[in-house]
């Protein structure tokens, strides 16, 4: 029921007070194109930028009628949304008013009906009593389809094929009007057939009716199925109706299937069968409705199936199918169709006939038995009846397909032979079927005996041998024997019995023995009588050694195998021998288990890393040895030191040469080169990775061996090196390797006379020791007058790791220039010498006495006062009598430094016995003390006495001498020897 009449105008007036504002502007409404589904709410908003609005009037217009305000709502000045004053309001169930904001007001239509479609709404804004321009919007209402109906309404409808059929689809209620599509569904597939529809039109009224016609011109059998009419409008709603159409058609040309109506199709209406085939043929025709009757030509009954068992010859039959069609509201119509089936019948072979052929033309039918010699030629023939024609095969003999068996060269043994006739019948649905029959014939062939193979025999010397000649009898079975042996240079008497007998075998009986077995043959033709024989040979071996050795780990043979460390493994080695063998199990050539007179060895192995190696099993007895069997065993274990091997961790090198640190680990799997990590260490807690920025290091890793080469070794390279090795199993192996210097010592440096304490008869020499290069060094001093080059005295001073060395030369001549040469030496050789000259001071006291010694004395000093110098003089007087030194000193002025160098081991500078007293003190140690390997330097017999604790009064001229280092004084040399070159 529609309650709204065209021309009605509803107006809603809302008054809104605004305390302040500006001039009014054009009023806007939103949304501008409102669209809503039927029975849903719709909200309209009126807005303006003006702030001086007095009131707003809502109105709607249907068709061309004029606007009409039907009421107003006044809002109080405080704008607090209290219930407004309403002059007139529409039904509150239809509309809702929002509380006005400063310049906006909303109107909600709660339940939009289809009558609102096309209705135009607008709002009129009044500012200071004057209406302002306003907008208008039209509402679009969307309504779903009410129904979809197909005509005709009978379901299903029966229609004959090749007729013209139309279906009509009618829809109603949609807004906007519906769109119609046609579909047909058959065999689970859906097809759009809208293109076949015609005459689609719409009736625009309050129901919005749409009609569409689908034409089948002409109707085909494949149109059989469900017909759908689907209607939709603007995505609002889709609805559909369906109708089943049943297309009637008469029987198509019948087809034939083998076995049943679900069997395989007989193509070309031809079928090949074998006589007596018990299968059936089904006649099948496509029709709607299905055929109700099938008939066969001949004596067959009215049945869809035709039995093939009665067909013995080729035959042609006819099948006819009948059905009855009744259209909707029509009369029954009978129809039929026929097809011809051709049946081809095959026959297997039967009635085989055999004939024996002899001479050139003679022949006769098959005989029961035929006696022939093995060398006799003859032939047989064979025939049979079949369709298709047969081919012939004689058992165990090649023959022609025509059935002829030609025996050339004779038969070797009596036998029954048969001729088989066969044909291959190609059927349609059983494939190719083989037909056959046969007939047998016994042929008695006369032939000699056959000797069996004789086995070689091993016998222990002194045993008895009885050996039987084995054979297969011929035809006839009577035989004679004869034993012979290969020529060995030993007399032999033939034996004519089946058993060969040697009472006591000796080594001379080792030979090949042959048995000859023979029979007399008497065929049907007596003129062909003959003797046939055969032989067999064996070798008599007196000895039997070990053989067939097998080596297994955990019951399996391996050439190479991996096992886990600590795993339990079972090794087993077994062989064949007579008597038992001496067996041994070795690892890398070392025997780990051995046992005599056995056939097997067992060894349980709890795998350790050191078990990796080549295991070999061997066995032998007094008669021979078996081939060894080997197995390479790999035990998976972490990197570690080799067991039982002294690992080198200290390496020596000369300065400025290359040094290579080498380390070989034990691990499996073998670590990758990247898993060998070398580091350079200051100590065992401070290491850094090696860098090769200056091409200082070379690392070469192959297999389990890694080498670190330090190029052009410098002093700072003598230190600890860390090598870490890991193969991903267990803990990482960390080793510390030392690079220790070795070579001639470096020359001393800063060699000079301390000028501040130079005196008339003494001088203090000082120098800084050079690098010792791995072996303790001694310092060798030679001094003498510079002018005449005579009176040079050598001294050897042991280095005790002091940073700075001091020595006092005493009993010098005042105002005299002296030459001093210094070099260091160790077991590797000596350094280049360093030289210094100095001039002693002029005598201060004219009454000063000169030393009673014929030559000067040199002493070592490290810091002190004048009192220490005086103490030196006292000690010299006391000790002078106790020591003697015989030296050969060589000095040549202005020679190069190399001319003063001497070998540390073969020092020619001093061959006399030297005895000194030495008391050393602890001083600052070298940075390379960790690398010391012990005192292996030159002669250590020098002994010095410390003068640091002397109570003598200090001399004023030595106040500036350091007191940190002790002073050592050389004793007076007895009988000094001077040599001038």
């Amino acid at each position: 029921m529609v309650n709204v009449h065209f021309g009605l105008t509803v107006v809603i007036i809302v008054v809104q007070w605004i305390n302040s504002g500006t001039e009014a502007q054009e009023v806007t409404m939103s949304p501008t194109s409102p669209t809503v589904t039927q029975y849903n709410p719709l909200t309209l908003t009126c807005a303006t930028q003006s702030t001086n609005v007095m009131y707003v009037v809502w109105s709607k217009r249907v068709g061309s009628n004029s606007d009409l305000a039907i009421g107003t709502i006044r809002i109080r000045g405080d704008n607090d949304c209290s219930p407004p004053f309403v002059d007139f309001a529409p039904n509150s169930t239809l509309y809702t008013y929002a509380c006005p904001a400063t310049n906006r007001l909303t109107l909600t239509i709660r339940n939009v009906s289809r009558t609102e479609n096309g209705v135009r709404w607008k709002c009129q804004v009044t500012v200071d009593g004057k209406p302002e321009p306003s907008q208008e919007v039209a509402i679009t209402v969307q309504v779903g389809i009410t129904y979809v109906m197909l005509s005709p309404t009978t379901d299903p409808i029966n229609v004959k094929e090749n007729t013209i059929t139309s279906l009509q689809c009618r829809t109603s209620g949609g807004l906007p009007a519906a769109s119609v599509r046609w579909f047909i569904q058959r065999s689970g597939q859906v097809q759009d057939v809208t293109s076949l529809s015609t005459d689609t039109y719409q009736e625009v009224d309050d129901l919005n009716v749409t009609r569409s016609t689908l034409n089948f011109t002409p109707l085909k059998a494949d149109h059989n199925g469900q017909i759908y009419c689907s209607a939709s409008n603007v995505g609002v709603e889709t609805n559909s109706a369906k109708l089943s159409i049943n297309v009637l058609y008469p029987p198509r040309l019948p087809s034939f299937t083998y076995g049943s109506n679900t069997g395989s199709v007989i193509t070309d209406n031809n079928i090949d069968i074998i006589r007596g085939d018990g299968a059936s043929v089904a006649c099948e025709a496509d029709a709607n409705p299905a055929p109700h009757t099938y008939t066969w030509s001949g004596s067959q009954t009215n049945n869809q199936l035709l039995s093939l068992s009665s067909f013995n010859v080729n035959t042609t039959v006819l099948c006819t199918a009948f059905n009855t069609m009744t259209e909707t509201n029509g009369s029954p119509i009978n129809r039929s169709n026929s097809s011809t089936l051709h049946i081809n019948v095959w026959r297997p072979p039967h009635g085989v006939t055999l004939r024996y052929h002899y001479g050139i033309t003679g022949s006769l039918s098959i005989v029961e038995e035929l006696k022939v010699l093995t060398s006799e030629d003859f032939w047989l023939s064979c025939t049979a009846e079949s369709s298709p024609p047969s081919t012939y095969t004689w058992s165990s003999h090649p023959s022609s397909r025509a059935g002829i068996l030609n025996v050339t060269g004779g038969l070797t043994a009596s036998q029954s032979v048969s001729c088989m006739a066969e044909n291959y019948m190609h059927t349609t649905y059983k494939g190719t079927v083989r037909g056959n029959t046969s007939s047998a014939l016994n042929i008695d062939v006369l032939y000699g005996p056959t000797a069996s193979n004789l086995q070689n025999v091993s016998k222990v010397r002194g045993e008895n041998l009885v050996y039987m000649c084995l054979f297969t009898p011929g035809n006839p079975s009577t035989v004679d024997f004869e034993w012979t042996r290969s020529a060995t240079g030993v007399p032999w008497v033939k034996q004519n019995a089946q058993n060969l007998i040697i009472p006591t075998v000796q080594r001379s009986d080792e030979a090949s023995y042959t048995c000859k077995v023979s029979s007399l043959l008497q065929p049907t033709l007596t003129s062909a009588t003959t003797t046939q024989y055969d032989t067999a040979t064996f070798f008599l071996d007196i000895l039997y050694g070990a053989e067939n050795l097998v080596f297994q780990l955990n019951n399996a043979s391996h050439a190479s195998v991996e096992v886990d460390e600590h795993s339990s493994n079972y090794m087993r080695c077994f062989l064949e021998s007579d008597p038992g063998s001496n067996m041994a199990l070795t690892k890398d050539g070392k025997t780990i288990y051995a046992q005599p007179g056995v056939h097997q060895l067992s060894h349980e192995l709890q795998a350790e890393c050191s078990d990796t190696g080549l295991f070999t099993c061997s066995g032998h007895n007094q008669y021979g040895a078996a081939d060894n069997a080997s197995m390479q065993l790999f035990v998976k274990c972490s990197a570690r030191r080799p067991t039982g091997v002294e690992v080198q961790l200290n390496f020596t090198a000369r300065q400025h040469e290359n040094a290579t640190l080498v380390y070989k680990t034990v691990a499996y799997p073998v670590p990758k080169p990247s898993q060998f990590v070398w580091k350079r260490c200051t100590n065992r807690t401070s290491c850094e990775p090696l860098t090769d920025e200056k091409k200082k290091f070379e690392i070469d890793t192959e297999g389990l061996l890694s080498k670190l080469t330090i190029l052009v070794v410098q002093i700072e390279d003598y230190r600890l090196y860390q090598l870490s090795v890991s193969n991903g199993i267990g803990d990482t192996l960390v080793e510390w390797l030392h690079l220790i210097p070795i070579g001639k010592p470096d020359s001393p440096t800063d060699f000079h006379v301390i000028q501040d304490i130079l005196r008339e008869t003494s001088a203090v020499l000082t120098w800084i020791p050079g690098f010792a290069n791995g072996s303790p060094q001694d310092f060798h001093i030679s001094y003498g007058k510079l002018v005449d080059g005579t009176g040079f005295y050598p001294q050897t001073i042991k280095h005790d790791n002091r940073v700075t060395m001091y020595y006092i030369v005493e009993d010098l001549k005042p105002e005299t220039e002296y030459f001093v040469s210094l070099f260091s030496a160790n077991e590797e050789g000596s350094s280049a010498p360093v030289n210094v000259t100095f001039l002693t001071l002029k005598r201060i006291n004219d009454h000063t006495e000169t030393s009673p010694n014929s030559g000067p004395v040199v002493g070592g000093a490290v810091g002190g006062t004048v009192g220490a110098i005086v103490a030196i003089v006292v000690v010299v007087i006391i000790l002078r009598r106790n020591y003697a030194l015989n030296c050969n000193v060589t000095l040549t002025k202005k020679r190069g430094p190399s001319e003063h160098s001497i070998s540390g081991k073969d020092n020619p500078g001093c061959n006399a016995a030297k005895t000194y007293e030495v008391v050393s003190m602890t001083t600052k140690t070298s940075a390379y003390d960790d690398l010391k390997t012990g005192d292996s330097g030159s002669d250590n017999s020098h002994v010095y006495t410390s003068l640091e604790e002397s109570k003598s009064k200090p001399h004023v001229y030595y106040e500036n001498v350091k007191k940190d280092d002790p002073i050592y004084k050389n004793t007076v040399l007895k009988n000094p020897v001077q040599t001038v070159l």
Side-chain angles (χ1 to χ4, degrees):
M1 180 73 183
V2 179
N3 296 322
V4 179
H5 299 282
F6 292 103
L8 174 64
T9 301
V10 178
V11 179
I12 303 169
I13 303 174
V14 179
V15 179
Q16 182 176 10
W17 293 93
I18 308 299
N19 294 327
S20 62
T22 58
E23 293 183 1
Q25 298 182 9
E26 183 178 357
V27 178
T28 60
M29 291 183 63
S30 62
T32 57
S33 300
T35 301
V36 63
T37 303
Q38 184 178 222
Y39 307 127
N40 287 331
L42 174 65
T43 298
L44 301 177
T45 301
C46 183
T48 180
Q49 295 181 354
S50 174
T51 59
N52 195 25
V53 177
M54 296 178 61
Y55 58 88
V56 177
V57 178
W58 287 93
S59 63
K60 75 174 182 177
R61 180 159 56 90
V62 180
S64 59
N65 292 335
S66 301
D67 299 339
L68 174 64
I70 62 172
T72 61
I73 300 176
R74 294 182 180 275
I75 307 301
R76 293 187 339 190
D78 54 8
N79 225 9
D80 61 358
C81 291
S82 299
F85 175 79
V86 180
D87 291 338
F88 173 81
N91 190 340
S92 61
T93 61
L94 298 180
Y95 305 97
T96 299
Y97 306 93
C99 178
T102 302
N103 55 359
R104 296 175 64 86
L105 183 68
T106 61
L107 172 68
T108 300
I109 307 173
R110 293 180 179 177
N111 193 359
V112 180
S113 65
R114 67 181 298 152
T115 59
E116 295 289 335
N117 188 51
V119 173
R120 293 184 292 278
W121 284 84
K122 76 175 182 177
C123 65
Q124 182 69 51
V125 178
T126 301
V127 179
D128 296 331
K130 297 180 181 180
E132 294 294 334
S134 62
Q135 290 184 340
E136 183 179 82
V137 297
I139 298 177
T140 299
V141 181
Q142 296 179 341
V143 182
I145 300 169
T146 304
Y147 69 88
V148 178
M149 183 177 66
L150 278 171
S151 178
T153 59
T154 302
D155 189 12
I157 61 171
N158 296 325
V159 183
K160 291 192 302 181
E161 69 175 348
N162 297 323
T163 60
I164 299 176
T165 300
S166 298
L167 300 178
Q168 189 178 77
C169 179
R170 185 174 184 273
T171 71
S172 178
L175 184 65
S179 173
V180 178
R181 297 192 68 81
W182 292 88
F183 299 92
I184 183 169
Q185 180 179 0
R186 50 182 179 266
S187 300
Q189 302 294 322
V190 177
Q191 180 185 0
D192 189 335
V193 293
T194 306
S195 60
L196 300 179
S197 63
T198 59
D199 194 23
T200 299
Y201 64 94
Q202 297 179 348
E203 296 177 1
V204 181
D205 53 16
D206 58 342
L207 298 180
N208 281 355
V209 175
T210 300
R211 291 183 175 86
S212 177
T213 301
L214 179 65
N215 296 315
F216 293 99
T217 314
L219 190 66
K220 301 297 182 182
D222 59 359
H223 292 149
N224 213 32
Q226 295 280 349
I227 303 296
Y228 290 85
C229 173
S230 176
S232 63
N233 62 332
V234 197
V236 175
E237 187 175 353
T238 300
N239 207 340
S240 65
K242 68 178 180 178
L243 176 67
S244 297
I245 184 168
N246 187 24
V247 181
L248 307 179
Y249 53 90
R252 307 302 192 203
L253 193 65
S255 62
F256 301 100
T257 57
Y258 181 78
S260 67
N261 54 2
T262 60
S264 301
V265 176
I266 300 174
T267 59
D268 300 330
N269 290 4
N270 286 280
I271 183 172
D272 294 334
I273 66 171
I274 299 173
R275 183 172 60 181
D277 192 341
S280 300
V281 171
C283 181
E284 185 79 22
D286 179 27
N288 190 22
H292 53 76
T293 302
Y294 288 92
T295 63
W296 294 90
S297 61
S299 60
Q300 300 297 322
T301 59
N302 293 335
N303 195 319
Q304 192 173 2
L305 296 178
L306 173 67
S307 175
L308 298 175
S309 60
S310 60
F311 293 97
N312 295 320
V313 295
N314 297 345
T315 307
T316 299
V317 295
L318 182 69
C319 174
T320 303
F322 301 87
N323 82 333
T324 300
M325 301 178 293
T326 303
E327 291 187 288
T328 300
N329 301 325
S331 300
I333 302 174
N334 295 320
R335 291 290 185 270
S336 65
N337 209 340
S338 301
S339 290
T340 300
L341 175 66
H342 302 281
I343 303 173
N344 185 29
V345 182
W346 301 112
R347 292 173 296 162
H350 64 282
V352 176
T353 301
L354 300 177
R355 295 188 67 83
Y356 168 67
H357 300 265
Y358 57 92
I360 298 177
T361 59
S363 68
L364 53 85
S365 296
I366 288 296
V367 296
E368 294 182 357
E369 186 177 64
L370 177 64
K371 290 186 177 184
V372 294
L373 294 175
T374 56
S375 59
E376 182 180 349
D377 296 338
F378 64 94
W379 58 287
L380 302 173
S381 64
C382 178
T383 58
E385 295 181 0
S386 64
S387 175
S390 295
T391 58
Y392 305 91
T393 303
W394 286 89
S395 61
S396 305
H397 297 279
S399 59
S400 67
R401 298 177 64 85
I404 303 300
L405 170 61
N406 190 8
V407 179
T408 302
L411 299 176
T412 59
S414 297
Q415 57 189 275
S416 292
V417 297
S418 63
C419 175
M420 181 179 65
E422 62 179 349
N423 68 347
Y424 291 89
M425 298 165 285
H426 301 286
T427 65
T428 303
Y429 292 102
K430 289 186 178 180
T432 300
V433 178
R434 175 176 172 265
N436 67 89
T437 186
S438 63
S439 181
L441 172 65
N442 183 43
I443 303 176
D444 188 14
V445 179
L446 304 180
Y447 54 92
T450 301
S452 300
N453 290 333
L454 300 182
Q455 300 297 321
N456 294 336
V457 176
S458 295
K459 281 288 184 179
V460 177
R461 183 172 55 188
E463 292 183 341
N464 182 40
L465 173 65
V466 178
Y467 197 94
M468 178 180 290
C469 178
L470 302 178
F471 68 99
T472 300
N475 187 22
S477 60
T478 303
V479 295
D480 296 317
F481 299 96
E482 181 182 48
W483 284 98
T484 59
R485 62 177 276 174
S486 59
T488 60
V490 177
W492 167 256
V493 178
K494 295 181 180 180
Q495 299 184 22
N496 297 105
Q498 185 174 6
N499 291 337
L500 171 66
I501 299 175
I502 303 177
T504 304
V505 296
Q506 301 295 329
R507 293 195 62 179
S508 59
D509 292 321
E510 181 173 300
S512 295
Y513 294 84
T514 301
C515 173
K516 177 180 178 182
V517 57
S518 60
S519 295
L520 179 65
L521 306 183
Q522 293 179 322
T524 302
L525 297 177
T526 57
S527 59
T529 299
T530 185
T531 299
Q532 289 186 356
Y533 66 90
D534 196 14
T535 61
T537 301
F538 78 94
F539 182 76
L540 176 60
D541 188 3
I542 308 301
L543 302 177
Y544 177 54
E547 60 184 17
N548 298 330
L549 186 146
V550 177
F551 188 20
Q552 293 182 336
L553 176 67
N554 300 330
N555 298 321
S557 296
H558 305 275
S560 177
V561 64
E562 295 180 3
V563 298
D564 293 328
E565 189 177 21
H566 309 308
S567 63
S568 297
N569 300 274
Y570 177 71
M571 287 185 174
R572 179 169 173 257
C573 180
F574 53 93
L575 52 72
E576 299 174 4
S577 67
D578 187 13
S581 297
N582 297 326
M583 300 185 68
L585 180 63
T586 64
K587 175 182 176 291
D588 297 330
K590 296 182 180 180
T591 301
I592 60 176
Y593 183 56
Q595 190 172 355
V598 296
H599 290 89
Q600 73 173 27
L601 287 181
S602 298
H603 177 61
E604 293 187 2
L605 178 67
Q606 296 292 327
E608 299 295 338
C609 192
S610 59
D611 290 327
T612 295
L614 181 66
F615 288 81
T616 301
C617 183
S618 62
H620 70 278
N621 63 8
Q622 63 270 36
Y623 305 124
D627 293 335
N628 293 346
S630 297
M631 179 188 307
Q632 183 67 50
L633 179 68
F634 296 96
V635 180
K636 292 186 284 187
C637 59
S638 60
R640 61 193 67 187
R641 286 188 179 183
T643 303
V645 178
E646 183 177 354
V647 178
Q648 181 182 358
L649 297 177
N650 295 324
F651 297 83
T652 59
R654 291 182 173 85
Q655 193 175 355
H656 307 301
E657 295 181 357
N658 296 343
T660 300
L661 310 184
V662 181
Y663 191 89
K664 185 174 184 180
T665 185
V666 171
Y668 191 83
V670 176
K672 299 176 181 178
S674 61
Q675 293 175 305
F676 287 80
V677 180
W678 288 90
K679 292 184 179 180
R680 182 179 181 180
C681 305
T682 303
N683 51 52
R684 290 181 182 266
T685 60
S686 177
C687 297
E688 61 182 4
L690 297 180
T691 60
D692 200 25
E693 297 177 357
K694 298 181 180 180
K695 295 184 178 180
K696 180 66 178 178
F697 305 98
E698 291 180 355
I699 297 176
D700 181 19
T701 300
E702 182 175 359
L704 298 171
L705 183 68
S706 185
K707 299 179 181 178
L708 169 63
T709 300
I710 301 99
L711 304 177
V712 190
V713 173
Q714 303 297 326
I715 294 177
E716 62 269 23
D717 295 325
Y718 297 115
R719 59 174 62 214
L720 286 173
Y721 292 85
Q722 184 195 80
L723 172 62
S724 302
V725 186
S726 173
N727 64 347
I729 297 177
D731 296 331
T732 299
L733 173 65
V734 178
E735 289 286 15
W736 301 90
L737 290 82
H738 298 71
L739 181 60
I740 301 171
I742 185 171
K744 299 177 182 179
D746 293 345
S747 297
T749 60
D750 197 22
F751 180 43
H752 65 280
V753 173
I754 302 176
Q755 295 295 328
D756 292 343
I757 56 177
L758 180 63
R759 294 296 176 257
E760 303 90 348
T761 61
S762 65
V764 177
L765 302 174
T766 181
W767 67 90
I768 298 176
F771 189 59
N773 279 313
S775 181
Q777 63 179 332
D778 294 334
F779 298 99
H780 297 263
I781 297 177
S782 296
Y783 73 98
K785 295 179 181 180
L786 181 62
V787 176
D788 55 6
T790 62
F792 277 81
Y793 299 93
Q795 281 291 311
T796 300
I797 309 301
K798 179 177 176 57
H799 184 217
D800 55 357
N801 293 325
R802 285 176 293 158
V803 176
T804 305
M805 301 293 293
Y806 299 92
Y807 279 85
I808 298 175
V809 182
E810 296 183 297
D811 294 326
L812 305 177
K813 300 295 183 180
E815 293 185 286
T816 302
E817 188 173 13
Y818 285 87
F819 174 90
V820 185
S821 178
L822 170 67
F823 67 88
S824 59
N826 62 12
E827 63 180 358
E828 291 298 315
S830 59
S831 70
V834 292
N835 304 319
V836 66
T837 61
F838 64 90
L839 178 66
T840 56
L841 300 180
K842 181 178 181 181
R843 186 184 303 273
I844 299 176
N845 187 351
D846 293 337
H847 301 286
T848 301
E849 296 180 359
T850 60
S851 172
N853 293 325
S854 60
V857 178
V858 66
V862 182
T865 62
V866 174
I869 303 298
V870 174
I872 294 173
V873 176
V874 174
V875 173
V876 169
I877 296 173
I878 296 173
L879 300 178
R880 183 174 297 163
R881 71 175 69 93
N882 297 323
Y883 304 94
L885 176 65
N886 295 318
C887 297
N888 294 322
V889 179
T890 301
L891 175 65
T892 303
K893 291 184 179 180
K894 299 183 181 179
R895 291 184 179 181
S898 62
E899 295 177 332
H900 294 278
S901 62
I902 64 173
S903 171
K905 292 182 179 178
D906 300 312
N907 189 336
C910 181
N911 296 322
K914 299 174 285 295
T915 305
Y916 305 92
E917 224 174 282
V918 175
V919 178
S920 64
M921 69 174 289
T922 302
T923 59
K924 182 179 179 182
T925 59
S926 169
Y928 306 100
D929 285 352
D930 286 345
L931 307 180
K932 292 190 297 182
T933 59
D935 186 3
S936 58
S938 59
D939 185 89
N940 297 321
S941 61
H942 305 284
V943 180
Y944 296 86
T945 302
S946 175
L947 305 180
E948 184 181 44
E949 303 300 328
S950 173
K951 302 299 182 179
S952 302
K953 182 179 179 180
H955 196 286
V956 294
Y957 294 104
Y958 296 92
E959 290 179 349
N960 294 328
V961 178
K962 293 192 297 181
K963 299 179 180 181
D964 295 335
D965 298 322
I967 299 175
Y968 297 89
K969 181 179 183 298
N970 185 28
T971 60
V972 176
L973 302 179
K974 294 184 177 180
N975 301 321
V977 178
Q978 300 180 4
T979 302
V980 179
L981 297 180

